[in-house]
Amino acid sequence: MVFFAAAISRSILRRAAKPCVFPRRWISGGGASGVDGIAAAGYHVTGGPSFMRGTVFWEPNRPLTIEEFHMPKPKAGELLIKTKACGVCHSDLHVLKGELPFSSPCVVGHEITGEVVEHGAHTDSGIIKRFPVGSHVVGAFIMPCGNCFFCVKGQEDLCEAFFAYNRAKGTLYDGETRLYLRSNGKPVYMYSMGGMAEYCVVPANALAVLPNSLPYTESAILGCAVFTAYGAMRHAAEMLAGDSVAVIGVGGVGSSCLQIAKAFGAAEIIAVDVLDEKLQNAKILGATHTINGLNEDVVDKIKEITGGRGVDVAVEALGKPLTFMQCTKSVRDGGKAVMIGLAATNAIGEVDITRLVRRQVKIIGSYGARARQDLPQVVKLAETGIFNLRDTVTRKCKFEEANAAFDDLNHGKIIGRAVIEVM
């Protein structure tokens, strides 16, 4: 797949000298809620613009384009965020390549930092007090509704509304998107909050305050890469101090797993990849051992390092059948194989059933973490310096460079995590 940065229309990139206020009227036609356009076409940020730019995915293997949108309007319990930075993640890449079906056209980008600029009408006063206008925030890609069966049980990473509405339909939880093209009022869907845009609407449940001491750009990865690693180690693996851990695939999420394992007191941390540059970076981030899967048998080497037993916890961060199998074979008897890498639709992983049964190997899926309880903890790890943001983010890109960033990600040219600086 090749993304062409040149495909971004120069005419679209030109900004209007003054904000334009659109008439408050409905535009006829079909749309996300049966109407093509929104009554808030004239909505604009107090003292600010009435439109913004966003990066749009149209169809698989077609270049992203930058388009102008009506200013998105938050509803009750939602905040309008002026986006400062957005991470470049493999989950987005899966969508761009057509490997994970998603509503289109859509704005991708799901790990963001930004500044609160407005609250939706009728938003609870407690939310307004917690996130006043001007607050620096970080957003989690799983945006829990707070009210479904799983959210009430504290399992926000299984939120029914998030999967039924956002992942299945590209909307928020009233069944509507917040994104409408300025040119014709047509709806554009949201992958999580649709973070590769100058502004985005985020439910308050998915936000945490970002201390002024933490930079916007590097902190964007807290909402997915670090968030996912924390959930894998804290909830899925239930990692204990002294455990041995192997991480297969040490890109943005995998390298974050190394650091979380170190923070939780792992005795041995084994990084597995096929790129020596990533393995070198893994040592900086806490790996005690590294294995290049092109040069050595991964399972044999892990068992050699662990005295023949295998690790207590193995994490698979690539979503490939081969690495899935390596992960299950790398754990000791009674150990845990934690799968966090998304795969192309219908990809199948193989497992030795008899060993799984007799030796009590546990295979656990893990997707993100729990925003209200975990995201503040993730922020604290970065604030105290326990989590090293600086060496995890290995590339910073301009807003107009999204195509090039995803192309490099697709070809394995990004060592850690790339972040797009939006504003």
Side-chain angles (χ1 to χ4, degrees):
M1 177 189 61
V2 178
F3 293 95
F4 299 96
I8 300 173
S9 169
R10 294 189 179 186
S11 63
I12 289 173
L13 295 178
R14 289 199 295 266
R15 288 178 174 273
K18 296 181 180 179
C20 175
V21 179
F22 295 90
R24 295 182 179 274
R25 62 183 176 86
W26 293 85
I27 303 174
S28 62
S33 58
V35 178
D36 195 7
I38 51 174
Y43 171 75
H44 61 93
V45 179
T46 304
S50 63
F51 67 92
M52 67 157 194
R53 299 182 303 159
T55 303
V56 179
F57 161 73
W58 297 94
E59 61 186 9
N61 300 313
R62 174 179 168 182
L64 300 167
T65 63
I66 292 181
E67 308 289 344
E68 290 184 348
F69 291 82
H70 294 304
M71 184 60 63
K73 185 176 183 179
K75 298 185 179 182
E78 301 170 357
L79 282 67
L80 180 64
I81 307 299
K82 184 178 183 180
T83 314
K84 297 294 185 177
C86 182
V88 178
C89 180
H90 260 103
S91 297
D92 295 309
L93 183 61
H94 281 307
V95 172
L96 303 188
K97 295 171 69 175
E99 294 173 345
L100 287 179
F102 193 78
S103 300
S104 63
C106 72
V107 172
V108 293
H110 58 271
E111 52 179 15
I112 61 107
T113 53
E115 178 185 340
V116 176
V117 294
E118 216 149 276
H119 307 94
H122 310 298
T123 292
D124 183 81
S125 60
I127 292 174
I128 296 173
K129 184 177 180 180
R130 189 161 77 252
F131 302 114
V133 170
S135 297
H136 297 190
V137 292
V138 57
F141 81 94
I142 293 181
M143 307 179 297
C145 71
N147 300 309
C148 71
F149 173 83
F150 291 107
C151 285
V152 170
K153 289 172 66 68
Q155 294 176 285
E156 294 178 345
D157 41 351
L158 293 174
C159 174
E160 291 172 318
F162 174 73
F163 288 98
Y165 286 96
N166 189 264
R167 282 298 179 264
K169 300 178 180 179
T171 69
L172 292 185
Y173 309 145
D174 59 354
E176 296 183 358
T177 180
R178 302 294 181 265
L179 299 174
Y180 296 85
L181 290 171
R182 186 186 181 199
S183 60
N184 56 21
K186 289 187 178 294
V188 173
Y189 300 99
M190 308 162 65
Y191 192 69
S192 290
M193 70 287 289
M196 285 190 189
E198 292 175 326
Y199 292 82
C200 60
V201 171
V202 187
N205 286 343
L207 294 170
V209 172
L210 185 71
N212 291 338
S213 60
L214 289 177
Y216 276 127
T217 299
E218 289 83 352
S219 298
I221 70 169
L222 295 175
C224 176
V226 190
F227 185 67
T228 297
Y230 186 92
M233 293 301 179
R234 173 74 175 81
H235 301 299
E238 298 177 315
M239 207 203 98
L240 301 174
D243 278 352
S244 55
V245 176
V247 180
I248 302 175
V250 289
V253 177
S255 62
S256 295
C257 287
L258 300 176
Q259 292 203 63
I260 298 297
K262 181 180 179 181
F264 286 2
E268 293 173 312
I269 304 172
I270 305 168
V272 181
D273 210 285
V274 295
L275 295 176
D276 287 332
E277 284 181 290
K278 290 188 177 183
L279 294 173
Q280 282 298 117
N281 196 53
K283 292 179 181 178
I284 296 172
L285 299 177
T288 58
H289 303 77
T290 60
I291 300 171
N292 188 314
L294 293 179
N295 303 328
E296 298 181 279
D297 184 284
V298 171
V299 177
D300 288 348
K301 189 64 178 179
I302 287 175
K303 289 189 174 181
E304 177 187 322
I305 293 169
T306 56
R309 283 195 175 87
V311 288
D312 298 297
V313 175
V315 178
E316 197 282 338
L318 289 172
K320 296 182 181 299
L322 173 62
T323 48
F324 179 97
M325 183 170 60
Q326 289 172 336
C327 184
T328 62
K329 289 183 175 182
S330 296
V331 297
R332 64 167 174 80
D333 293 350
K336 297 175 182 177
V338 179
M339 307 301 171
I340 62 174
L342 291 178
T345 303
N346 299 323
I348 302 297
E350 295 183 358
V351 63
D352 182 335
I353 297 174
T354 299
R355 177 172 181 260
L356 179 79
V357 174
R358 285 180 170 174
R359 308 315 300 158
Q360 300 179 30
V361 174
K362 301 169 183 66
I363 300 176
I364 308 164
S366 182
Y367 189 65
R370 300 163 186 176
R372 287 184 290 184
Q373 59 181 282
D374 294 337
L375 190 57
Q377 300 304 316
V378 167
V379 171
K380 284 183 181 178
L381 289 174
E383 185 181 19
T384 57
I386 294 174
F387 191 94
N388 177 353
L389 285 172
R390 183 191 62 193
D391 291 322
T392 307
V393 174
T394 56
R395 186 183 301 185
K396 300 175 185 179
C397 310
K398 296 178 181 178
F399 188 50
E400 295 79 12
E401 296 174 336
N403 280 308
F406 279 114
D407 192 40
D408 284 347
L409 181 65
N410 187 48
H411 290 95
K413 295 179 181 179
I414 296 175
I415 301 305
R417 194 67 144 192
V419 175
I420 291 175
E421 297 178 309
V422 180
M423 301 178 79

